[in-house]
Amino acid sequence: MPSIAAEPYSFDLEPGRCAVVIIDMQRDFLEPGGFGAALGNDVAMLRRAIEPTRRVLAAARDRRMPVIHTREGHRPDLSDLPAAKRDRGRLATRIGDLGPMGRILVRGEPGHDIIPELAPIAGEPVIDKPGKGAFYATDLEAVLRNRGIAQLIVCGVTTEVCVNTTVREANDRGFECLVLEDCVASYFAAFQLAGIEMIKAQGGIFGWVAPSAALMAALA
Ligand code: TIU
């Protein structure tokens, strides 16, 4: 069983029971003109996660390790969009409004797509989620349990929002999460640090944290 140098202590990877989960690496969060920008963020802050995640994705595919992608977004008729989420922030451009990449955070629109660098390939489930957590109102748990997966290697954006929410949901369901700190990113430098600290503190209250190089070394 490969042991990954992680915090707060080593993570014992079980290759047959482990999946890579890539959270919401969508144009709407990483490119100008999408939801992340509509919220007032500097979307360039997230790009540092792309290249390390691309390397992890390639390594997982080489080893036939399951890969699951998620996307945050809503039905075109917005029937799954709570009014509280639509109205939050009193934004000039809201979810469902037309932007340069199509309607903001709506399934099927260009902005909802995963960025080309990390595009899913055949055989990799894509979980469409209406909320921040990837387990809420999705079949992610069934997909994982049907494949006998008990451990998640987590990449994606943003560290303190969808990554943290998903890791907390996974932890309560009995999954062990290893978050790759260079493969997750935040619009806020302070929240990147805090989001990582919150996972690994208190003996790994929500999971483990490691640089992607530690995973690569264990897989080599
Ligand atoms: N995917 C995800 O994190 N959704 C967000 O809305 N993140 C923010 O940081 N806003």
Side-chain angles (χ1 to χ4, degrees), residues 149-171:
I149 289 163
Q151 299 181 325
L152 310 181
I153 294 173
V154 181
C155 306
V157 297
T158 63
T159 308
E160 79 280 16
V161 181
C162 291
V163 171
N164 246 273
T165 306
T166 299
V167 167
R168 289 165 190 234
E169 289 182 326
N171 185 62

Side-chain angles (χ1 to χ4, degrees), residues 26 28 71-73 105-114 128:
Q26 296 161 258
D28 253 322
R71 298 184 296 203
E72 181 180 346
L105 222 58
V106 170
R107 295 178 191 154
E109 300 290 330
H112 184 260
D113 283 347
I114 292 172
D128 279 326

